[in-house]
Amino acid sequence: MVEEPGTLRAAESVDWPDISHTYDVVADDYATAFADELAGKPFDRELLDRYASAVAGQGAVWDVGCGPAAHVTRYLADRGVDVAGVDLSPRVVDVARSRERDLRFGVADMCDLPAEDGSLAGIVAFYSVIHLPRERIPEALAEFRRVLARDGALLLAMHGGEGIISTDEWLGHAVPIRATLMSPGELAEAVEAAGFTLVEQHAREPYEGEYPSRRLQVWATAGR
């Protein structure tokens, strides 16, 4: 998740960094900074509440790109969802496990998830797909569809905009981070092209303290 305001700049073309290394470095500081961020996001909480009601009791749900704070994982677990968090960064997973000892976490690549075809009832991906280059986002969406059961539910959140945003310093560390921005139409087209059916699509303005981008949310189901 890219959430620190005032540090990112617009960019047309940059080298794409090893995002796992970036998050390995910032994991502890990120967890401290963003553990309570849902408290200030009523729209996100309401959306997660409705999603939790829809998927609770339906099977396993993975929070893909759970981050070290694992706050979305915890939020869903507290609402009766059989949820586990996965992340590409080993350090992120270690920090998440230390913070939420009763929850399950594992290291995983969102483009190559260690799950059987059709085995998951849901996937939540809040501000994690943004860390892929634009050309790889369809790869991740196709992987999400592969592992979701028939009518499994995807809940995805991204930064809205055009192009990418980039910085080589984040959370006080000299590490690069990039984020792909998408318009609502581009995101909807990508999700549908991966074989999903859109259920809801939203675009909200940033809350105070968030990075100043529109926030895009998509709820979609996998049909087989």
Side-chain angles (χ1 to χ4, degrees):
M1 298 184 191
V2 175
E3 292 286 352
E4 186 180 7
T7 64
L8 304 185
R9 63 182 184 276
E12 292 298 323
S13 178
V14 294
D15 293 331
W16 215 263
D18 177 357
I19 194 63
S20 177
H21 171 72
T22 293
Y23 271 91
D24 282 346
V25 172
V26 305
D28 293 272
D29 292 324
Y30 185 100
T32 299
F34 298 115
D36 299 323
E37 69 166 352
L38 282 174
K41 298 184 177 184
F43 179 88
D44 301 58
R45 295 196 309 272
E46 188 272 338
L47 184 62
L48 287 167
D49 286 343
R50 291 192 292 110
Y51 181 82
S53 294
V55 300
Q58 300 302 308
V61 173
W62 283 11
D63 179 9
V64 176
C66 61
H71 49 300
V72 172
T73 320
R74 168 50 66 189
Y75 194 88
L76 293 173
D78 287 348
R79 282 148 186 82
V81 177
D82 178 16
V83 62
V86 297
D87 202 284
L88 184 62
S89 159
R91 180 58 187 163
V92 158
V93 170
D94 286 345
V95 174
R97 284 173 174 159
S98 70
R99 296 176 62 90
E100 303 291 351
R101 296 182 181 276
D102 60 324
L103 300 183
R104 305 185 309 278
F105 298 96
V107 176
D109 183 337
M110 72 175 72
C111 293
D112 187 19
L113 293 171
E116 298 296 326
D117 293 1
S119 61
L120 301 182
I123 285 180
V124 177
F126 266 37
Y127 306 101
S128 51
V129 174
I130 61 170
H131 293 311
L132 292 174
R134 188 176 309 276
E135 62 271 17
R136 293 200 67 198
I137 289 176
E139 183 182 351
L141 294 174
E143 181 69 351
F144 294 169
R145 187 182 182 280
R146 178 188 71 81
V147 302
L148 281 171
R150 182 175 179 83
D151 298 326
L154 170 67
L155 188 61
L156 179 71
M158 293 189 68
H159 291 281
E162 297 181 356
I164 65 174
I165 46 180
S166 172
T167 184
D168 292 319
E169 184 176 349
W170 192 37
L171 293 173
H173 299 275
V175 291
I177 192 165
R178 315 285 184 252
T180 296
L181 308 180
M182 302 183 86
S183 69
E186 183 184 12
L187 178 57
E189 182 177 349
V191 169
E192 289 179 325
F196 288 95
T197 300
L198 289 178
V199 177
E200 298 181 17
Q201 184 172 14
H202 306 279
R204 69 162 175 81
E205 297 304 316
Y207 290 117
E208 183 178 357
E210 287 187 313
Y211 179 78
S213 67
R214 294 191 80 193
R215 305 307 170 103
L216 309 183
Q217 298 89 13
V218 165
W219 184 336
T221 58
R224 294 184 184 276

